[in-house]
Amino acid sequence: VQLQASGGGLVQAGDSLRLSCAASGGTLSNGHLGWFRQAPGKEREFVAAISWIYGTTAYTNSVMGRFTISRDNAKNTVDLQMNSLKPEDTAVYYCAANVRAYSAIVSKNDYNYPYWGQGTQVTVSS
């Protein structure tokens, strides 16, 4: 499975962005899709994830209420709608997939996601 993340950019605090992760070479219909981010000088951290089968989601506390993860069955994509962006959201955002994850409880651990996209830069200015 190949993942392609897109939608990053430079915005001001309070603005919105929508990231999209497209999968090719396989299906996400039996798995989990997660978004992670890595800011300069910091470790990669979990942002959000969704179970394709159940639609259950999980978010890190700092984005809850501002970010929404969703899936599009027809397009085989997973989007991350980011609202009320803050400078601390600045990072490279990566989508990752576990194509054989049947649990309704999505993992927040990056080691449970074998497939990774190339990352898209999100920069939020104050």
Side-chain angles (χ1 to χ4, degrees):
V1 175
Q2 292 80 44
L3 303 176
Q4 180 74 37
S6 62
L10 171 63
V11 297
Q12 293 186 333
D15 285 350
S16 298
L17 275 177
R18 189 175 185 89
L19 305 183
S20 184
C21 182
S24 60
T27 179
L28 300 175
S29 60
N30 294 319
H32 296 168
L33 197 293
W35 285 96
F36 295 79
R37 66 187 180 187
Q38 187 166 20
K42 295 187 177 181
E43 293 187 353
R44 185 166 59 192
E45 66 169 348
F46 169 80
V47 177
I50 188 167
S51 164
W52 199 275
I53 299 174
Y54 299 98
T56 50
T57 58
Y59 298 90
T60 191
N61 287 342
S62 63
V63 308
M64 208 168 294
R66 299 188 297 123
F67 290 13
T68 302
I69 189 170
S70 61
R71 67 197 191 293
D72 188 319
N73 292 338
K75 296 181 180 179
N76 206 32
T77 59
V78 174
D79 291 348
L80 184 68
Q81 177 66 41
M82 306 186 297
N83 298 328
S84 303
L85 283 161
K86 303 176 180 180
E88 51 264 43
D89 294 319
T90 294
V92 177
Y93 283 70
Y94 299 90
C95 59
N98 181 343
V99 298
R100 295 185 179 183
Y102 303 101
S103 171
I105 302 174
V106 294
S107 173
K108 299 181 180 181
N109 297 310
D110 56 4
Y111 55 76
N112 283 327
Y113 294 84
Y115 301 96
W116 289 79
Q118 85 289 1
T120 184
Q121 176 70 46
V122 172
T123 304
V124 185
S125 63
S126 57

